[in-house]
Amino acid sequence: MKRRNFIKNASLTGVGIAVGSSLAGCNEPAKKENESEVAINKSNSAYIPVVIATWNVKQSTSKAWETIQNGGSALDAVEQGCRVEEADEKGQSVGKGGLPDREGHVTLDACVMNQHGDCGAVVYLKDITHAVSVARKVMEETPHVMLAGDGAKQFALSQGFQPENLLTEASKTAWEKWKIEAKYKPIINIENHDTIGMLAIDSKGDISGACTTSGLAYKMAGRVGDSPIIGSGLYVDNEIGACVATGLGEEVVKTVGSFLVVELMRQGKTPQQACEEAIGRIVNKPNSNYKDFQVGYIALNKKGETGYFAIHEGFTMTKYQDGVNEQLQSDFFNKA
Ligand code: SD4
């Protein structure tokens, strides 16, 4: 939908819009005077519905957008969007085809959080492609918020999920090659695509989020990252906004990153300012070796304004808003 039509429709349907004019992200290059409004609206506009996701995942945001357009909730949207990446065997950091731990096992972490503050997560899940949907089932069908390992798998099977071998030939070959030197060094910006974290505001204005990953390649067996940890990899507060993280999970957990971003927005920061401050908490630690790892945050607030920031160059956010599905390059801390 073109912006003008959207505004017209919004005023007819009562969908609220509030175009953010004073909220230009720091990642915006300087604009000529007559360009500024358009540019700001493009990058930091405040329309709903909106879908944002970590990395370059236009097919996923497209699926999420379509889900909302068909009357789905924000939770439906983020689940459906994440499933696209989970099913894509070519993506070696999510779902089927994910790179394994150092023993050759693909283990998945995922979580969801909805507008009521309910959440569900699975950690160290094996043999089930759609970890995000299992996480949703944990939220909806159990009295718990998190299931791990064999218990998570048994639960998934009991809910009708089919077991599959997640280690594709390509990932097996990569693992065998890695074993020759067996050096564990998380790579910054793997294939310009990584863990998928997705946030959405639906047509009613409700916010939900999801995050799904195979975690860091060649991690120790049993390792769990930030992605399924509510408050670290993902946090949603329907009054305020939401945030999701990607990158070196250990560093995100140590600063409870996504909760921090939402709390900073509660204190009045824009999503952009909040993401930047949360990255600051990581890089400004006296002993931080941030040059060796990446962390990126994306966030949105209740109005539909968005923000995104990373430690290093190369992080991207995909945003579907106002009928436009686009990949946006993130600003970053390490300019040296
Ligand atoms: C993790 N945050 O397991 C995830 C993986 C990731 O870049 O995003 N890697 O730590």
Side-chain angles (χ1 to χ4, degrees):
M1 201 185 296
K2 293 275 174 276
R3 181 175 167 230
R4 192 170 302 170
N5 289 343
F6 177 85
I7 291 171
K8 201 168 129 203
N9 288 352
S11 62
L12 287 174
T13 58
V15 174
I17 58 165
V19 177
S21 56
S22 60
L23 295 161
C26 306
N27 47 344
E28 282 294 299
K31 302 283 173 338
K32 289 184 201 148
E33 220 178 323
N34 60 359
E35 286 179 352
S36 65
E37 197 194 346
V38 172
I40 289 167
N41 288 345
K42 197 172 171 198
S43 160
N44 230 341
S45 48
Y47 310 141
I48 61 164
V50 58
V51 176
I52 57 174
T54 53
W55 304 103
N56 181 16
V57 290
K58 277 193 184 175
Q59 285 185 327
S60 297
T61 45
S62 182
K63 182 70 186 175
W65 181 262
E66 182 193 310
T67 303
I68 290 173
Q69 297 302 318
N70 290 335
S73 66
L75 181 65
D76 297 330
V78 293
E79 180 191 7
Q80 290 304 318
C82 285
R83 284 174 64 98
V84 172
E85 289 303 313
E86 286 178 335
D88 181 0
E89 293 183 21
K90 285 190 222 117
Q92 289 187 304
S93 54
V94 179
K96 193 163 185 180
L99 289 169
D101 64 19
R102 55 189 69 173
E103 293 176 12
H105 301 297
V106 180
T107 66
L108 307 182
D109 294 339
C111 70
V112 298
M113 192 162 187
N114 70 12
Q115 74 272 19
H116 306 299
D118 295 327
C119 49
V122 286
V123 307
Y124 198 69
L125 175 68
K126 288 183 191 163
D127 304 325
I128 307 285
T129 298
H130 292 299
V132 72
S133 296
V134 185
R136 182 171 178 171
K137 288 283 185 195
V138 171
M139 176 176 82
E140 292 178 341
E141 306 293 337
T142 81
H144 308 304
V145 297
M146 188 180 286
L147 292 178
D150 289 345
K153 182 176 166 184
Q154 278 165 26
F155 169 70
L157 296 176
S158 77
Q159 293 290 317
F161 290 84
Q162 294 302 313
E164 282 185 85
N165 177 18
L166 303 183
L167 187 66
T168 54
E169 277 309 310
S171 291
K172 193 173 171 200
T173 306
W175 169 58
E176 276 161 357
K177 203 166 148 200
W178 174 81
K179 279 199 292 182
I180 297 167
E181 289 200 17
K183 275 196 191 141
Y184 178 68
K185 189 167 182 349
I187 300 163
I188 292 174
N189 303 334
I190 308 163
E191 343 161 321
N192 193 24
H193 174 290
D194 216 315
T195 297
I196 177 165
M198 187 178 275
L199 307 173
I201 307 183
D202 60 27
S203 307
K204 290 186 193 155
D206 285 329
I207 309 173
S208 289
C211 191
T212 181
T213 187
S214 52
L216 297 175
Y218 319 126
K219 59 195 175 185
M220 288 173 69
R223 183 262 186 192
V224 172
D226 61 313
S227 302
I229 310 294
I230 296 297
S232 292
L234 172 70
Y235 196 69
V236 174
D237 183 327
N238 204 39
E239 298 286 306
I240 304 296
C243 175
V244 68
T246 183
L248 188 67
E250 282 75 5
E251 296 297 323
V252 176
V253 170
K254 286 177 201 170
T255 49
V256 198
S258 292
F259 184 72
L260 173 61
V261 169
V262 173
E263 290 306 301
L264 289 167
M265 290 194 287
R266 190 190 308 279
Q267 290 165 20
K269 296 219 167 2
T270 64
Q272 184 64 37
Q273 290 166 340
C275 289
E276 291 180 21
E277 187 163 332
I279 290 292
R281 291 285 173 97
I282 296 173
V283 299
N284 291 327
K285 284 181 180 172
N287 60 350
S288 179
N289 58 341
Y290 67 84
K291 292 206 165 143
D292 295 335
F293 61 83
Q294 175 69 302
V295 171
Y297 291 114
I298 65 170
L300 51 72
N301 66 13
K302 189 72 178 165
K303 291 188 277 185
E305 295 159 348
T306 58
Y308 51 116
F309 198 67
I311 298 177
H312 297 282
E313 191 170 13
F315 178 51
T316 59
M317 175 175 84
T318 308
K319 174 160 83 166
Y320 210 140
Q321 189 175 41
D322 193 18
V324 180
N325 192 14
E326 58 187 344
Q327 189 191 351
L328 300 163
Q329 283 295 332
S330 173
D331 195 9
F332 55 97
F333 172 81
N334 186 27
K335 299 259 166 63

